[in-house]
Amino acid sequence: MVMKASNTTERVIQHLRTVAATQMPGSRLPSVRHLMREFAAGPGTIQRALDHLVHEGLIEAHPGRGTFVAKQDDKERWQAADTAWQNVALGEGRFEPDALQAMVRLPPSQSLPLNAGYLPPALQATDLLKAATSRALRRSGYWERMPPEGMYQLRAWFAEGTGGAFDAREVTICPGTQSSLAASFRALANVGDPVLMESPTYAGAIAAARAAGLRPVPVPIDGMGVRPDFLADAFRTTGARLFYCQPTFANPSGITLASARRQKVLDLLGEFGAFLIEDDWARDFQFEPPPPPLATDDRNGHVIYVRSLTKCAAPGLRIGAICARGPALGRLRAARLTDDFFVPGLLQEIAFELVSAPNWVRHLRALRGALRARRDGMVAALNKHLGPCELAKIPDGGLHLWVRLPDGMSDVEVVRRCVRADILVGAGRDWFPADPPAPHLRVSFAAIVPEDADQAVSRLASVIAEIQDVSVGVVHSA
Amino acid sequence: MVMKASNTTERVIQHLRTVAATQMPGSRLPSVRHLMREFAAGPGTIQRALDHLVHEGLIEAHPGRGTFVAKQDDKERWQAADTAWQNVALGEGRFEPDALQAMVRLPPSQSLPLNAGYLPPALQATDLLKAATSRALRRSGYWERMPPEGMYQLRAWFAEGTGGAFDAREVTICPGTQSSLAASFRALANVGDPVLMESPTYAGAIAAARAAGLRPVPVPIDGMGVRPDFLADAFRTTGARLFYCQPTFANPSGITLASARRQKVLDLLGEFGAFLIEDDWARDFQFEPPPPPLATDDRNGHVIYVRSLTKCAAPGLRIGAICARGPALGRLRAARLTDDFFVPGLLQEIAFELVSAPNWVRHLRALRGALRARRDGMVAALNKHLGPCELAKIPDGGLHLWVRLPDGMSDVEVVRRCVRADILVGAGRDWFPADPPAPHLRVSFAAIVPEDADQAVSRLASVIAEIQDVSVGVVHSA
């Protein structure tokens, strides 16, 4: 049975799958009427989702009585299978998928997603992608093998975006930033090696570094970015040869490396013979022009530059690039080749058609305007409702705000209570490579239109006040 | 400048790029007339390729005099950049891309490709893909985030193909087999661990295992597949918990694990608490029905099953699946998530539409017929021209023949001389996890129509005879 799943159908399916996975076999599922209200969907959409899950064997429909979590054959099969031996064979794990899973998961439609790492559908380049796909399909050869380093024209486009730091021959196309980071950590360091990271930093980078067997070492930042004195100390004491860094609109702090510090950071790379992975994920989300990539000031191949199209186009256009020179370029290409040979030609053609379209620049301009308005709305709401919380910095770009919680408050507790209040927000601890020095939330403004910001933050403020009331007299604000 | 590159243009570009990379700046390139002949292409196609490379700065055109390898700015820039420090920072490498690069590279059109690891364009599911793409584009949501484990319907389809060994919830969609293997080696073992492999085995698996920091341990095979006595010995002496295996039409040997040995292999997995990665890449290329997947006889989650759509559809449709149960499933999904989040929705939708089309089964049937005829043509030619060489086994499926060369002959020397005779063939040593016990060639019949087989093998025979003449009296045939 072929089901044409709409986006909403897929959301309902995903929601019910989570419900079925967490409830006992035989539990009653929400009614069709309830789901219609929760997902603002018609009865047909809900019914398609239910039919799908019945077909899948995950739920059982008893007409007149409702739908129920199925007594799963598979659960039985898994219980019958004795896979306990695997625990011994697998041993200790290196993978920490929880924070990543939260990033990738589609939010249930009734929640206010203050945790969005991607553009919401309304801001995605949907129409441009449609047109780009039509043009790409008129080309030929995209089902053939591609060069492992990627289509030349697309590499040339990424090279142009580096402000002259790299040319097309130094660019390698990857299926998105996560894959660029995973390949870079594997290619540029060995298991057990330390890797320096700003603290806080991107949770996906921490997970990729750990999966590669590296040991993340936190280097504190302040309002001007990474602190060079601590960076020097960390290079000296750990012998690290690798520093993962977001010099521009860092996720989650929103901070940009100050001009005064750029040369000092580059000098340290030279002094310690080290690589810096520059993750420039947010350059397209600039509200004020940021400094050029750090890579433009690098002569001798210290800076590996990572950029993505996925963030500013749509989550499903998984196209990014790694730029490097010297032996590191060969090492990175070999790692990418071993990982998955090459990025599918069709996606590369679509990406190239997308960024070559005259409307692409207009899309980016409109996008920046919309995001800036959302940032302003969220900042105003935070100032209004969250007196005792501290906003580290109002960022000039990116998708997130980094909010300090009162000392002693559990970020995880806030996040858990927020879920009950239909708000999704990120617990700050996921963004620290080691011990969180203080509780924080990552509040994304990307998916919250300005009109909704007040409501979202007032709900968040209630949750925080609720926790404070309980522990009054024990917790002091920062 | 947007260039609409045809397949041939892309081939010419790739060819000239190789020429430019290997010759001195200032060297003259082949004339337009020569390239037209070599690639059976019109002057427009050749000119487009040249224009492209001029634009790229790789070659220089001097009207009336010809085209030349450019004095590259970049070569100069790289020379000016001092990246020598990187050699110290990078240290010893784990990546061995040479054999993989040869697999992925498009052959120059004048050569007879006896090294094809993919279907040639004529056998690819081109029309079906076109129709599937049109249908997929009518769906919605494919530019959104996908579940990291993949689209449910596609997982259900892969599950059906396992003959009941797995169900949809045990399937994880990957961007092709190479990525499935890379993720499996990383998820199921730790750096420094041994991994048992048939000897010979798939070169891409050897490369992926080494890149994951594992130590491949060869286990000899005979005409019935892996030898259980050696397998037991290898488990015992190395403590390995992982065995990479191709029970069906193994690449490169063509051998299928005999029914009599299946239970013995499974018993050893139980005895030593080990995983077996079953790479079932060639099931769709069966000329005689093979036994069901080994996974169908496994109860307790010892067999991790890997399958691909890429091989039987087209190289650019990078879709495959890993099937597993128990804690290993969670570990594999976490590894995949950390690698690149999820496979693009558009490709998954196209893949699902492709395999749901009524004509898909007809495509597979026609494909098998064509491949079988090519196998027969190649076997006849080998028997006719290569008396002293030994064909290990006439395989009942797959894409390759495994040809024994006379003792003492260098497979690499044969391959090098073949290139000069416009034949591309694989040196056997790339398929051995450790020391090659004897020289072999991997001869692919996939891209050679039966009428060309005689010419291809007679050229190959001349090369071998040429080497034998030189070393006569020293080399004895096997």
Side-chain angles (χ1 to χ4, degrees):
Chain A
M1 192 188 66
V2 179
M3 198 200 60
K4 306 281 175 184
S6 76
N7 214 341
T8 310
T9 310
E10 195 55 54
R11 276 165 199 266
V12 178
I13 289 172
Q14 223 173 307
H15 173 72
L16 290 176
R17 213 173 259 153
T18 310
V19 172
T22 51
Q23 298 197 355
M24 294 295 292
S27 311
R28 183 193 295 273
L29 290 167
S31 68
V32 172
R33 186 178 300 261
H34 177 90
L35 291 168
M36 283 168 62
R37 207 169 45 238
E38 195 169 326
F39 287 87
T45 303
I46 303 298
Q47 200 53 56
R48 269 197 300 282
L50 292 172
D51 287 350
H52 182 91
L53 292 166
V54 168
H55 180 69
E56 187 173 325
L58 206 63
I59 66 176
E60 288 167 11
H62 297 285
R65 284 176 45 219
T67 48
F68 301 83
V69 178
K71 295 191 184 62
Q72 293 172 33
D73 285 352
D74 253 68
K75 280 202 178 152
E76 284 159 24
R77 189 163 90 185
W78 281 21
Q79 277 155 7
D82 183 5
T83 58
W85 67 271
Q86 289 189 357
N87 293 301
V88 181
L90 291 169
E92 198 190 355
R94 292 188 309 284
F95 303 99
E96 306 184 328
D98 293 353
L100 298 193
Q101 232 132 23
M103 271 184 247
V104 171
R105 209 179 295 136
L106 280 170
S109 65
Q110 84 281 10
S111 299
L112 285 168
L114 278 75
N115 66 340
Y118 289 105
L119 294 181
L123 298 186
Q124 293 170 19
T126 317
D127 292 342
L128 287 179
L129 271 168
K130 197 172 171 183
T133 304
S134 299
R135 289 196 301 278
L137 290 173
R138 274 181 242 133
R139 296 182 164 225
S140 63
Y142 47 77
W143 292 123
E144 254 301 343
R145 279 164 279 188
M146 300 298 286
E149 67 272 21
M151 251 180 70
Y152 175 78
Q153 295 102 315
L154 190 57
R155 287 188 281 131
W157 180 82
F158 272 109
E160 269 176 45
T162 67
F166 297 96
D167 90 355
R169 274 164 287 175
E170 298 165 322
V171 178
T172 305
I173 303 298
C174 302
T177 288
Q178 188 62 28
S179 127
S180 302
L181 297 181
S184 300
F185 287 130
R186 288 197 285 262
L188 303 175
N190 287 301
V191 167
D193 284 354
V195 50
L196 310 188
M197 296 187 151
E198 291 157 295
S199 177
T201 192
Y202 171 49
I206 301 172
R210 292 220 173 103
L214 310 190
R215 294 183 292 112
V217 175
V219 184
I221 60 168
D222 60 22
M224 298 168 71
V226 70
R227 288 220 1 211
D229 51 343
F230 290 136
L231 184 62
D233 189 18
F235 273 128
R236 199 176 301 117
T237 54
T238 66
R241 296 291 201 152
L242 189 55
F243 173 31
Y244 167 78
C245 183
Q246 300 171 85
T248 311
F249 312 134
N251 174 3
S253 70
I255 287 165
T256 294
L257 183 63
S259 302
R261 288 193 182 166
R262 289 164 65 99
Q263 195 53 50
K264 183 66 197 158
V265 168
L266 291 167
D267 288 348
L268 288 172
L269 300 178
E271 184 180 340
F272 291 100
F275 291 103
L276 182 149
I277 301 175
E278 177 173 17
D279 181 352
D280 202 15
W281 70 282
R283 183 158 296 272
D284 293 308
F285 303 141
Q286 52 179 269
F287 314 140
E288 303 296 335
L294 192 59
T296 55
D297 293 339
D298 168 44
R299 286 285 154 275
N300 295 330
H302 288 279
V303 178
I304 310 294
Y305 182 80
V306 170
R307 187 90 174 254
S308 166
L309 246 179
T310 307
K311 287 279 183 188
C312 55
L317 186 75
R318 304 208 64 71
I319 294 285
I322 313 181
C323 311
R325 64 171 64 92
L329 175 61
R331 196 64 73 89
L332 283 162
R333 288 205 169 151
R336 282 287 314 135
L337 184 67
T338 313
D339 271 359
D340 55 20
F341 283 159
F342 57 87
V343 176
L346 179 58
L347 282 195
Q348 294 193 57
E349 296 278 11
I350 292 173
F352 179 67
E353 290 291 351
L354 179 72
V355 297
S356 316
N359 282 341
W360 175 245
V361 174
R362 204 175 308 157
H363 162 72
L364 289 184
R365 206 180 308 130
L367 182 57
R368 286 170 193 153
L371 287 172
R372 184 188 197 126
R374 287 171 190 215
R375 178 202 62 178
D376 293 344
M378 192 66 81
V379 168
L382 285 168
N383 284 337
K384 178 174 159 196
H385 293 288
L386 282 185
C389 295
E390 201 183 312
L391 193 56
K393 160 96 183 166
I394 299 177
D396 291 329
L399 304 173
H400 316 288
L401 301 174
W402 186 233
V403 176
R404 175 83 140 78
L405 290 172
D407 272 349
M409 186 174 283
S410 160
D411 53 352
V412 173
E413 174 69 7
V414 173
V415 169
R416 200 171 49 214
R417 291 191 187 220
C418 277
V419 171
R420 280 188 244 143
D422 281 337
I423 320 175
L424 304 174
V425 65
R429 69 181 58 195
D430 292 340
W431 280 270
F432 287 101
D435 318 274
H440 286 81
L441 293 181
R442 193 187 72 156
V443 174
S444 168
F445 50 81
I448 308 294
V449 291
E451 309 83 77
D452 285 351
D454 196 78
Q455 196 206 346
V457 178
S458 96
R459 278 199 229 165
L460 174 60
S462 303
V463 166
I464 291 174
E466 191 183 298
I467 299 177
Q468 274 184 313
D469 285 349
V470 170
S471 55
V472 74
V474 181
V475 172
H476 307 275
S477 64
Chain B
M1 193 187 66
V2 179
M3 198 200 58
K4 306 279 172 185
S6 75
N7 215 342
T8 311
T9 310
E10 196 54 55
R11 277 163 197 267
V12 178
I13 289 173
Q14 222 174 308
H15 174 71
L16 291 176
R17 213 173 259 155
T18 310
V19 172
T22 52
Q23 296 197 356
M24 294 295 292
S27 310
R28 185 192 295 274
L29 291 167
S31 67
V32 173
R33 185 178 301 263
H34 177 90
L35 291 168
M36 283 167 63
R37 207 167 48 238
E38 195 169 326
F39 287 86
T45 302
I46 303 297
Q47 199 53 55
R48 267 196 302 281
L50 292 172
D51 288 349
H52 182 91
L53 292 167
V54 167
H55 179 69
E56 188 174 327
L58 206 64
I59 67 175
E60 288 167 11
H62 297 285
R65 287 174 46 219
T67 47
F68 302 84
V69 178
K71 295 186 185 68
Q72 293 171 31
D73 286 351
D74 255 67
K75 279 199 178 156
E76 284 159 24
R77 188 164 89 184
W78 283 21
Q79 277 155 8
D82 183 4
T83 58
W85 67 272
Q86 289 188 357
N87 294 301
V88 182
L90 291 170
E92 197 189 356
R94 294 186 309 281
F95 303 100
E96 306 186 327
D98 293 355
L100 298 193
Q101 231 132 25
M103 269 184 245
V104 171
R105 209 179 292 136
L106 280 169
S109 65
Q110 84 280 11
S111 299
L112 285 168
L114 279 74
N115 66 341
Y118 288 105
L119 293 182
L123 298 186
Q124 292 169 20
T126 316
D127 292 341
L128 287 180
L129 271 170
K130 198 173 169 177
T133 304
S134 300
R135 286 195 303 277
L137 290 173
R138 272 180 245 137
R139 295 184 165 225
S140 64
Y142 46 77
W143 292 123
E144 253 303 341
R145 280 164 278 185
M146 300 298 285
E149 66 271 22
M151 252 179 68
Y152 175 78
Q153 295 100 320
L154 190 57
R155 286 188 282 132
W157 180 82
F158 272 109
E160 269 176 45
T162 66
F166 297 95
D167 90 356
R169 274 162 287 176
E170 299 166 320
V171 178
T172 304
I173 302 298
C174 302
T177 288
Q178 187 64 27
S179 125
S180 302
L181 298 181
S184 300
F185 287 131
R186 287 198 286 261
L188 303 175
N190 287 301
V191 166
D193 285 352
V195 51
L196 310 187
M197 296 187 150
E198 291 157 294
S199 176
T201 192
Y202 171 49
I206 302 173
R210 291 217 174 105
L214 310 189
R215 295 182 291 111
V217 175
V219 183
I221 59 167
D222 60 22
M224 297 168 73
V226 69
R227 287 214 10 206
D229 51 343
F230 289 136
L231 185 62
D233 190 17
F235 273 127
R236 200 175 301 117
T237 55
T238 66
R241 296 288 202 154
L242 190 55
F243 172 33
Y244 167 79
C245 182
Q246 300 171 85
T248 311
F249 313 135
N251 174 6
S253 70
I255 287 166
T256 294
L257 183 65
S259 301
R261 287 194 183 167
R262 289 164 63 100
Q263 195 51 52
K264 182 69 197 154
V265 168
L266 290 168
D267 288 347
L268 288 172
L269 299 178
E271 183 179 343
F272 291 100
F275 291 103
L276 181 150
I277 300 174
E278 176 173 19
D279 181 354
D280 202 15
W281 70 282
R283 183 158 296 271
D284 293 308
F285 303 140
Q286 53 179 269
F287 314 140
E288 304 294 337
L294 192 58
T296 55
D297 293 339
D298 169 44
R299 285 285 156 272
N300 296 329
H302 288 278
V303 178
I304 310 292
Y305 182 79
V306 170
R307 186 88 174 258
S308 167
L309 246 179
T310 308
K311 287 280 183 188
C312 54
L317 186 73
R318 305 208 65 71
I319 295 284
I322 313 180
C323 311
R325 66 170 62 94
L329 174 62
R331 197 63 75 90
L332 283 161
R333 288 205 170 151
R336 282 287 312 135
L337 183 68
T338 314
D339 273 359
D340 55 20
F341 283 159
F342 57 88
V343 176
L346 180 58
L347 282 194
Q348 294 193 59
E349 295 277 10
I350 293 173
F352 178 67
E353 289 291 351
L354 179 72
V355 298
S356 315
N359 281 341
W360 175 246
V361 174
R362 203 176 307 158
H363 162 73
L364 289 183
R365 205 180 306 129
L367 181 58
R368 287 170 191 151
L371 287 173
R372 183 185 198 127
R374 288 172 191 213
R375 177 202 64 179
D376 292 345
M378 192 67 79
V379 168
L382 285 168
N383 284 337
K384 177 173 160 196
H385 293 289
L386 283 186
C389 295
E390 200 181 312
L391 193 55
K393 160 95 184 168
I394 299 176
D396 291 329
L399 304 172
H400 317 288
L401 301 173
W402 186 234
V403 177
R404 174 83 141 80
L405 290 171
D407 272 348
M409 185 173 285
S410 161
D411 53 352
V412 172
E413 175 71 7
V414 174
V415 169
R416 200 171 48 215
R417 290 190 189 222
C418 277
V419 171
R420 279 188 244 144
D422 282 336
I423 320 176
L424 304 175
V425 65
R429 68 181 60 194
D430 292 339
W431 280 269
F432 287 102
D435 319 274
H440 286 81
L441 294 180
R442 192 189 72 155
V443 175
S444 168
F445 50 81
I448 308 293
V449 292
E451 308 84 76
D452 285 351
D454 196 79
Q455 195 206 349
V457 178
S458 99
R459 282 199 227 163
L460 174 61
S462 304
V463 166
I464 291 173
E466 195 182 296
I467 299 177
Q468 274 184 315
D469 284 350
V470 171
S471 55
V472 75
V474 181
V475 173
H476 307 276
S477 65

